[in-house]
Amino acid sequence: MDAADLADWAVRLYDEYLRRPDLIRLATWARLERRPTGHLVEDHDRLDDHKLRAIAEAQAAGRVCQGDPFDVMAMVIAMSMAWSPVSNVYAATAQEPSDVHERRRALLHECVRRAVAPK
């Protein structure tokens, strides 16, 4: 993850959900069955530390909007899941036409870019 380009990271997450829908389904199952509130995993500090530090550094350099780095990361991840297998609106598949995915990637990239842009 490049904290200076969180929009690119969101698009890569979108692509990963298309490649590995099982992973996002497992995470959702864990949320529903194992950890209905709070952090999804026990070692969240260790697992996310490098991402959170990178976001904080990008914020300090004026490249990312202010806010709790965890909240910024969570928002970007949530935006990347708009068409994922756990979306409550529409679940995309890799079998859809490539132009549909390109349109979604472009929209996701632009929306995340704007959402995390410094004010």
Side-chain angles (χ1 to χ4, degrees):
M1 180 198 80
D2 177 2
D5 195 355
L6 292 172
D8 177 67
W9 183 51
V11 171
R12 286 186 287 120
L13 288 173
Y14 170 87
D15 288 336
E16 187 66 16
Y17 305 145
L18 290 175
R19 276 190 299 276
R20 298 290 313 272
D22 56 315
L23 295 179
I24 196 69
R25 287 186 189 114
L26 285 171
T28 302
W29 175 79
R31 171 61 69 211
L32 293 171
E33 298 289 329
R34 307 286 180 175
R35 294 184 174 269
T37 61
H39 291 282
L40 184 61
V41 296
E42 287 184 27
D43 293 340
H44 66 89
D45 288 338
R46 180 181 59 81
L47 297 172
D48 294 332
D49 187 54
H50 67 285
K51 293 175 188 161
L52 299 177
R53 254 194 334 267
I55 291 170
E57 289 169 6
Q59 289 172 320
R63 294 189 311 266
V64 172
C65 65
Q66 293 302 307
D68 184 286
F70 181 83
D71 291 342
V72 172
M73 181 183 75
M75 181 187 63
V76 171
I77 292 170
M79 292 173 78
S80 75
M81 294 172 59
W83 300 278
S84 78
V86 299
S87 170
N88 61 358
V89 184
Y90 183 85
T93 68
Q95 289 71 41
E96 291 175 294
S98 61
D99 64 314
V100 170
H101 292 299
E102 288 304 317
R103 188 177 69 239
R104 289 180 187 143
R105 286 180 187 106
L107 178 62
L108 176 61
H109 191 277
E110 181 63 14
C111 288
V112 171
R113 185 189 66 74
R114 287 181 183 198
V116 300
K119 304 299 180 223

